[in-house]
Amino acid sequence: RDEPKGAGMHDWLLVFASHVPEEEAKVRMNMIRAIKASGLVTLSSKSGDGNRVFVYVRAPVERLEEEAAKIFLKKNLLDGGGLAPFAIASRQLFAGQLGFPGFFTGNERQRLVMRIMTSSNLANGAGLSLETAGTRSLIEVVPLHDKVHRQALITAWWKQPLFRVTRPPMTEIRDYFGEEIAFHVAWTAHLLRTVFPLAAIGVLVAIASYALAAVDPNADGGWIPWISNSTLQPP
């Protein structure tokens, strides 16, 4: 799939079938109109073979701020002041570049745009039911990578020294993938930190048992009871 110019600035991709009955084509057009009416911006293109219609979706910064304030989205305050519900009137108190999409993380933008697309018209949303993805017309709904943010995350992770392999950059992971993935990564890193000492002791015990078996083939090698004597004895 060749992305059209400007597609990298969008947060979601709706994939529609191109060759559908007229009635379903009208449904697609109505969905796109509803998305635009909710304050979102779309960019449409066709696949190379003409069988798919790609609709890229993003929100202007003002629309993101409006939705963030509506749901009291918690954001980081300046100077490490912790988290606080976002408010437009006090936007200058929050960390980030004001007036730019980067003021919200990629994960926050995706959450806000999805909420706008699925909220009712009464809540100034598009009123879409995206659970229908996979039907004949709407094939799938795909979250898009933020290439700049992703590269920053990769750089932050790989720049860490090897001895900090169990200390991943949790803030960057949370900002990019969201809290659920961040908790999973944090738990995995914590588990690794707890088993490393046990693994080191196990290696030492194994080496000592093999050394004991090499010195005395008749020794029972009993430091590791689950390994048989025949395994420990040299050929």
Side-chain angles (χ1 to χ4, degrees):
R1 174 174 60 86
D2 295 327
E3 291 186 350
K5 185 177 181 180
M9 300 170 59
H10 294 70
D11 298 299
W12 285 95
L13 171 65
L14 309 184
V15 183
F16 295 90
S18 179
H19 306 299
V20 294
E22 183 179 352
E23 196 63 32
E24 292 192 32
K26 288 181 179 179
V27 171
R28 180 180 70 217
M29 292 306 300
N30 288 336
M31 292 179 69
I32 295 175
R33 290 193 188 101
I35 291 173
K36 291 180 177 179
S38 67
L40 299 176
V41 179
T42 65
L43 174 65
S44 300
S45 68
K46 277 193 174 183
S47 61
D49 58 11
N51 292 327
R52 299 285 185 270
V53 175
F54 301 129
V55 179
Y56 298 84
V57 184
R58 68 176 178 87
V61 177
E62 295 79 9
R63 187 66 181 89
L64 291 172
E65 290 184 348
E66 177 187 332
E67 196 66 22
K70 185 185 300 183
I71 65 172
F72 304 104
L73 178 72
K74 290 186 176 181
K75 283 190 61 62
N76 288 316
L77 293 167
L78 290 169
D79 303 322
L83 294 171
F86 176 77
I88 295 177
S90 56
R91 64 165 69 92
Q92 71 279 359
L93 301 178
F94 294 88
Q97 197 172 8
L98 290 174
F100 290 87
F103 178 71
F104 294 96
T105 67
N107 180 261
E108 289 171 342
R109 291 199 309 273
Q110 288 183 348
R111 287 170 52 196
L112 293 171
V113 172
M114 175 57 70
R115 178 181 169 83
I116 295 170
M117 288 195 293
T118 56
S119 294
S120 69
N121 301 128
L122 294 176
N124 199 22
L128 302 184
S129 178
L130 297 180
E131 290 79 9
T132 58
T135 61
R136 187 173 179 181
S137 178
L138 179 58
I139 299 173
E140 59 182 334
V141 181
V142 184
L144 298 176
H145 279 292
D146 180 332
K147 295 180 180 178
V148 175
H149 195 172
R150 180 178 63 176
Q151 188 56 48
L153 171 60
I154 293 172
T155 301
W157 210 328
W158 280 99
K159 275 188 174 181
Q160 292 191 141
L162 185 60
F163 67 85
R164 287 185 58 85
V165 66
T166 60
R167 303 281 182 179
M170 293 309 308
T171 299
E172 289 82 357
I173 293 173
R174 181 204 63 193
D175 290 346
Y176 191 75
F177 292 107
E179 287 83 358
E180 185 174 347
I181 298 297
F183 271 116
H184 176 77
V185 174
W187 164 248
T188 304
H190 174 74
L191 182 63
L192 286 175
R193 287 196 296 272
T194 57
V195 300
F196 267 171
L198 297 176
I201 293 172
V203 170
L204 294 176
V205 170
I207 292 173
S209 295
Y210 276 105
L212 179 62
V215 172
D216 184 2
N218 296 319
D220 60 7
W223 286 20
I224 310 181
W226 57 87
I227 298 180
S228 66
N229 288 342
S230 60
T231 303
L232 294 174
Q233 290 178 0

